[in-house]
C-alpha cells in the first residue's frame, strides 16, 4: 500500500513561516556585522602585504650576498633534504562563512595526498578549530599540534609569533625539512583564493617590474649578512604567518558576508513559497467548509 503524504496543517505552515522569518533576521544581522568587520580586516590585509613582500625581498637580497652558502643559516637554505614536510593549515574558529574553511582544507588535503604518494612524510599543525574538524577525519594521525585563538577578538602579531616560534622550535629539533602554510588570499568580497606558500626554506616570490629593478640594486649591510639573517629569518617566519592570518581574517568576513546575503535571499524565497502554500491551504479549507454548510442546508 502506498503511504499517504500528510499535508501540513495551516498551523504548521504558520509556524514554519515564523521560524524562517526569524532565521532571516539572524542571517541579515550577521551579514551587516560581517560587512562592518570586513572594511577593517581588508585594510589590515592590504597594509600587511607590502611589509611581508619587502621582508622577503630583503632576505633574498641578503642570500645573494652570502659568501659561504654551505654555512648559511638553515632557515634560509633548508636542510638540503626534502623528506619531511611540515604543513601549517590556517583556518577560522567560526563557521557560517561559506566555503572559506573548506577551500583551504581541500587545497591542503590535495597537497597531503600528493606528498604521501611520493613517499614523503608529513606533519600537520592546525591553526583554527574548523580546519582541525575537517582534517582529523582522514589525516588526524599526522596532526602534531592544535592551535586556536577563539578568545581573541582581533588577530595581532603576538598570535603569529606563537605559531612562528612553534615552527622554528620544531625546525631547530630537525623535525622537518620544509614548511608550507595554507591560507586564503583575499581578492574581493566574492573571491578568495586558497594559497600554499613555502616559508622554510625561503622561496622566491613572483615580482613585478618595480621589484625586478630593486633586485638589481646593490646594498651594503652593517653588521654583516650572517648576523642580520640570524635575527631577521625568525622574524620573517612570524611575518609571513601574520600576513596569512590577516588575509584569512579579510577572506573570512568577505565569505561570511556573501554566504549570509545568499542565506537571507533564500530565506525570503522560502517565505514567499510557504506563504503561497499557506494561502492555498487556507482557501481550500474555507471552500471545504462552505461546501459542507451548503450541503447541510440542502439536506434540510
Amino acid at each position: 500500500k502506498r503511504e499517504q503524504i500528510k499535508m501540513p496543517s495551516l498551523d504548521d505552515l504558520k509556524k514554519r513561516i515564523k521560524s524562517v522569518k526569524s532565521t532571516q533576521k539572524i542571517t541579515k544581522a550577521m551579514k551587516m556585522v560581517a560587512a562592518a568587520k570586513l572594511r577593517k580586516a581588508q585594510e589590515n590585509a592590504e597594509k600587511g602585504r607590502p611589509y611581508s613582500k619587502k621582508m622577503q625581498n630583503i632576505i633574498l637580497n641578503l642570500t645573494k650576498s652570502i659568501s659561504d652558502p654551505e654555512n648559511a643559516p638553515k632557515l634560509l637554505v633548508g636542510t638540503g633534504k626534502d623528506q619531511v614536510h611540515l604543513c601549517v593549515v590556517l583556518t577560522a574558529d567560526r563557521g557560517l562563512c561559506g566555503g572559506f574553511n573548506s577551500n583551504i582544507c581541500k587545497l591542503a588535503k590535495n597537497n597531503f595526498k600528493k606528498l604521501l604518494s611520493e613517499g614523503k612524510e608529513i606533519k600537520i599543525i592546525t591553526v583554527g578549530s574548523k580546519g582541525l574538524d575537517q582534517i582529523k577525519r582522514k589525516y588526524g594521525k599526522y596532526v602534531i599540534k592544535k592551535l586556536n585563538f577563539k578568545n581573541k577578538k582581533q588577530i595581532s602579531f603576538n598570535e603569529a609569533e606563537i605559531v612562528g616560534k612553534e615552527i622554528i622550535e620544531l625546525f631547530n629539533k630537525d623535525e622537518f625539512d620544509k614548511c608550507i602554510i595554507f591560507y586564503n588570499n583575499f581578492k574581493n568580497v566574492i573571491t578568495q583564493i586558497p594559497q600554499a606558500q613555502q616559508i622554510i626554506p625561503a622561496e622566491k616570490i613572483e615580482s613585478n617590474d618595480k621589484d625586478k629593478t630593486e633586485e638589481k640594486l646593490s646594498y651594503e649591510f652593517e653588521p654583516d649578512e650572517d648576523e642580520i639573517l640570524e635575527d631577521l629569518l625568525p622574524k620573517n617566519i612570524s611575518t609571513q604567518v601574520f600576513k596569512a592570518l590577516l588575509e584569512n581574517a579579510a577572506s573570512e568576513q568577505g565569505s561570511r558576508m556573501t554566504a549570509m546575503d545568499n542565506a537571507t535571499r533564500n530565506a525570503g524565497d522560502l517565505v514567499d513559497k510557504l506563504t503561497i502554500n499557506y494561502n492555498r491551504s487556507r482557501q481550500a479549507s474555507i471552500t471545504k467548509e462552505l461546501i459542507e454548510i451548503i450541503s447541510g442546508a440542502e439536506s434540510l
Side-chain angles (χ1 to χ4, degrees):
K1 291 180 180 179
R2 289 184 179 178
E3 291 184 7
Q4 289 185 347
I5 299 171
K6 190 181 177 182
M7 295 295 289
S9 65
L10 287 173
D11 193 43
D12 290 339
L13 285 168
K14 205 170 184 178
K15 285 178 181 176
R16 185 80 196 278
I17 291 167
K18 187 179 178 182
S19 174
V20 174
K21 280 183 176 178
S22 298
T23 305
Q24 188 182 30
K25 285 178 184 177
I26 294 167
T27 56
K28 192 174 182 180
M30 288 184 72
K31 176 196 166 187
M32 291 170 73
V33 171
K37 288 182 177 178
L38 174 63
R39 188 176 176 183
K40 183 68 176 173
Q42 183 178 351
E43 191 179 317
N44 288 339
E46 287 171 352
K47 283 180 179 177
R49 286 171 191 166
Y51 183 79
S52 61
K53 198 171 183 180
K54 186 72 175 176
M55 175 81 84
Q56 197 86 323
N57 283 337
I58 289 170
I59 286 170
L60 290 169
N61 208 297
L62 281 164
T63 310
K64 294 173 185 176
S65 306
I66 291 173
S67 53
D68 186 8
E70 290 184 5
N71 295 321
K74 285 186 177 181
L75 271 177
L76 182 66
V77 295
T79 59
K81 294 182 285 183
D82 185 25
Q83 183 58 32
V84 185
H85 289 244
L86 178 68
C87 302
V88 184
V89 185
L90 306 164
T91 57
D93 287 308
R94 295 175 181 84
L96 296 174
C97 48
F100 169 76
N101 294 307
S102 300
N103 290 339
I104 298 171
C105 291
K106 187 179 178 182
L107 178 67
K109 285 176 185 176
N110 289 339
N111 197 276
F112 301 159
K113 188 178 178 181
K114 184 185 174 186
L115 290 170
L116 291 170
S117 67
E118 291 172 356
K120 307 285 174 66
E121 186 183 339
I122 62 169
K123 294 179 181 181
I124 303 168
I125 294 177
T126 60
V127 182
S129 54
K130 293 299 174 183
L132 175 64
D133 292 342
Q134 293 190 39
I135 286 169
K136 69 180 180 183
R137 295 169 196 166
K138 191 174 180 181
Y139 299 99
K141 62 182 178 180
Y142 300 108
V143 178
I144 59 170
K145 190 79 178 178
K146 307 163 190 175
L147 299 169
N148 68 70
F149 303 111
K150 283 183 179 178
N151 57 337
K152 300 289 181 182
K153 288 185 178 180
Q154 191 173 351
I155 294 294
S156 67
F157 189 75
N158 292 334
E159 285 71 56
E161 213 161 23
I162 291 168
V163 180
K165 283 178 179 177
E166 191 69 40
I167 294 168
I168 292 164
E169 191 179 329
L170 288 168
F171 187 74
N172 291 336
K173 290 178 182 176
D174 293 324
E175 293 282 332
F176 65 90
D177 301 314
K178 287 188 175 182
C179 178
I180 304 166
I181 57 173
F182 298 90
Y183 62 97
N184 253 335
N185 189 42
F186 179 81
K187 191 173 181 182
N188 54 48
V189 177
I190 298 168
T191 311
Q192 298 88 36
I193 305 164
Q195 299 285 324
Q197 181 187 344
Q198 183 179 299
I199 57 173
I200 298 176
E203 190 177 42
K204 189 170 183 178
I205 52 176
E206 290 182 11
S207 53
N208 54 33
D209 294 335
K210 186 180 176 182
D211 293 328
K212 285 175 183 175
T213 305
E214 190 176 316
E215 283 173 16
K216 293 175 184 177
L217 300 173
S218 59
Y219 294 90
E220 288 184 6
F221 297 102
E222 181 66 35
D224 62 25
E225 290 83 351
D226 292 338
E227 286 183 54
I228 295 172
L229 283 170
E230 193 176 332
D231 184 58
L232 204 60
L233 284 169
K235 191 174 182 182
N236 180 54
I237 302 299
S238 299
T239 301
Q240 298 307 321
V241 171
F242 186 45
K243 179 202 75 173
L245 289 172
L246 289 176
E247 293 284 348
N248 261 6
S251 298
E252 182 189 349
Q253 298 306 333
S255 187
R256 181 172 288 116
M257 183 180 162
T258 305
M260 290 302 102
D261 182 51
N262 290 336
T264 304
R265 290 171 187 271
N266 291 339
D269 293 341
L270 186 56
V271 167
D272 292 342
K273 287 178 183 177
L274 288 169
T275 304
I276 289 168
N277 286 340
Y278 175 79
N279 290 337
R280 282 176 180 170
S281 298
R282 186 167 172 270
Q283 187 65 46
S285 177
I286 292 167
T287 305
K288 186 182 176 183
E289 287 174 7
L290 284 170
I291 291 169
E292 286 174 354
I293 292 166
I294 292 164
S295 298
E298 284 179 353
S299 64
L300 295 171

